[in-house]
Amino acid sequence: MIRVLVADDHALARMGLTAMLGAQPDLEVVAEAADGLAAVEEARRVRPHIVLMDIRMPRLDGIEATRRIRALPDAPAVLVLTTFDLDQYVYDALRAGAGGFLLKDAPPGRLAEAVRTVAEGHAILAPTVTRRLIERFLTIAPRDTEVLARLTDREREVLTLIGQGRSNAEIATDLLLAEGTVKTHVSRVLMKTGLRDRVAAVVFAYEQGLVRVGNAGTA
């Protein structure tokens, strides 16, 4: 069973999310939280596999709650729920360690699928929304030449394709490599750059100018 913590300051929203997730045979809502501080406390107490996190909450917002939860030992994954008018907060949440984001009006099946995906350590990034996020809110920082210099040419190619939203299988096809070889390159990229996961790698690729708005992938 995938253990889920639902954090949302609206009681009806929490009830609805709990009911939708509880209807799935492999998902179990083990706790609820009405604010960010309670979310951190509950995550520490019940040790869920994933936290479904609202952003605008009292006492502690979802961004700082995400940052604190991801700093816990054996930290659970975090999936952020958002609406189109909260793009800047979503970007900040990804930088804080969230494994992805999902729109609040997503159908129940899509929500359950996203919870499973993020709980397994994969990213949920809607490329069209991601490009809009970057376009509206990301100020390209000066390249971290010291970090980029640690990468081989091939590893930089892989990082660029990760930033474009390409899966390991797609990267393997693009570079004419075995998928196992790509996985090795991805692991080395994360290790050499000190990035947490693929989501952090996407953000880093944009920040370093390896990927720019307009040339991200569409898959």
Side-chain angles (χ1 to χ4, degrees), residues 70-137:
R70 292 294 295 156
L72 294 174
D74 298 320
V78 176
L79 174 61
V80 171
L81 291 178
T82 185
T83 54
F84 278 109
D85 63 338
L86 293 176
D87 284 353
Q88 183 173 10
Y89 299 102
V90 174
Y91 178 75
D92 291 340
L94 294 177
R95 296 200 65 177
F101 60 89
L102 192 68
L103 298 177
K104 282 193 170 182
D105 60 357
R110 175 59 175 153
L111 173 63
E113 177 188 354
V115 168
R116 295 185 187 101
T117 299
V118 175
E120 291 171 357
H122 303 294
I124 290 290
L125 292 172
T128 55
V129 180
T130 301
R131 286 197 297 274
R132 195 181 70 246
L133 277 173
I134 302 299
E135 184 175 29
R136 291 177 59 187
F137 296 107

Side-chain angles (χ1 to χ4, degrees), residues 78-197:
V78 176
L79 174 61
V80 171
L81 291 178
T82 185
T83 54
F84 278 109
D85 63 338
L86 293 176
D87 284 353
Q88 183 173 10
Y89 299 102
V90 174
Y91 178 75
D92 291 340
L94 294 177
R95 296 200 65 177
F101 60 89
L102 192 68
L103 298 177
K104 282 193 170 182
D105 60 357
R110 175 59 175 153
L111 173 63
E113 177 188 354
V115 168
R116 295 185 187 101
T117 299
V118 175
E120 291 171 357
H122 303 294
I124 290 290
L125 292 172
T128 55
V129 180
T130 301
R131 286 197 297 274
R132 195 181 70 246
L133 277 173
I134 302 299
E135 184 175 29
R136 291 177 59 187
F137 296 107
L138 176 61
T139 300
I140 298 297
R143 290 195 179 204
D144 192 332
T145 54
E146 181 180 347
V147 172
L148 290 177
R150 299 173 192 165
L151 305 179
T152 65
D153 290 342
R154 177 64 83 191
E155 288 164 354
R156 191 178 297 202
E157 283 183 295
V158 170
L159 174 59
T160 300
L161 290 170
I162 292 173
Q164 293 175 1
R166 311 290 280 174
S167 67
N168 284 353
E170 291 169 333
I171 294 174
T173 299
D174 291 344
L175 300 182
L176 302 177
L177 298 173
E179 190 169 348
T181 302
V182 172
K183 290 180 181 179
T184 299
H185 283 312
V186 172
S187 296
R188 288 176 179 168
V189 167
L190 297 180
M191 179 185 66
K192 289 182 177 182
T193 58
L195 297 169
R196 291 180 306 267
D197 50 33

Side-chain angles (χ1 to χ4, degrees), residues 34-57:
D35 60 68
L37 194 57
V40 177
E41 294 169 350
E42 288 298 293
R44 184 181 291 111
R45 183 180 70 86
V46 303
R47 302 175 66 84
H49 296 114
I50 183 169
V51 179
L52 200 56
M53 181 77 73
D54 189 20
I55 290 181
R56 287 182 170 175
M57 292 189 292

